[in-house]
Amino acid sequence: MKVITANRLTDGRVIYRTSDGQWSPHLAEAQPLENEAAENALAIAEGEFGIAVGPYLIDYTESEPGGQKWRREGIRLAGPTAGTTRTLGAA
């Protein structure tokens, strides 16, 4: 299975393509696709320039990212991994 992921144009947030052709920040709402259906849906998503940036297919296994890039996709799903926005010396 595959799902389509991208980043939202307005804020860079990770989003997933849903079965009704919308985008959601929740992986659980992503539409699982197979083979040719996945490629066709990706072609449509690539044409939505005003919504999503850089859509691509990822492996999807039982409601979580799978395949060789599962760690990368897990990090994208969870958000940034670098520190906090707190300044040094602030309480």
Side-chain angles (χ1 to χ4, degrees):
M1 288 283 184
K2 305 251 186 214
V3 297
I4 299 172
T5 186
N7 291 90
R8 190 165 37 211
L9 179 63
T10 57
D11 61 7
R13 188 168 184 181
V14 175
I15 52 177
Y16 302 92
R17 185 86 171 174
T18 65
S19 60
D20 61 356
Q22 302 298 311
W23 291 93
S24 171
H26 307 290
L27 179 59
E29 296 177 6
Q31 178 185 19
L33 300 161
E34 298 230 16
N35 306 320
E36 191 174 330
E39 294 296 332
N40 291 339
L42 179 60
I44 292 168
E46 289 173 334
E48 296 180 330
F49 303 112
I51 301 170
V53 176
Y56 61 95
L57 295 169
I58 62 170
D59 290 322
Y60 180 73
T61 306
E62 297 182 29
S63 69
E64 63 184 34
Q68 293 181 349
K69 296 183 180 175
W70 68 270
R71 187 176 313 272
R72 172 187 166 188
E73 295 306 325
I75 291 169
R76 285 183 74 238
L77 179 62
T81 60
T84 66
T85 58
R86 194 179 94 173
T87 58
L88 294 177

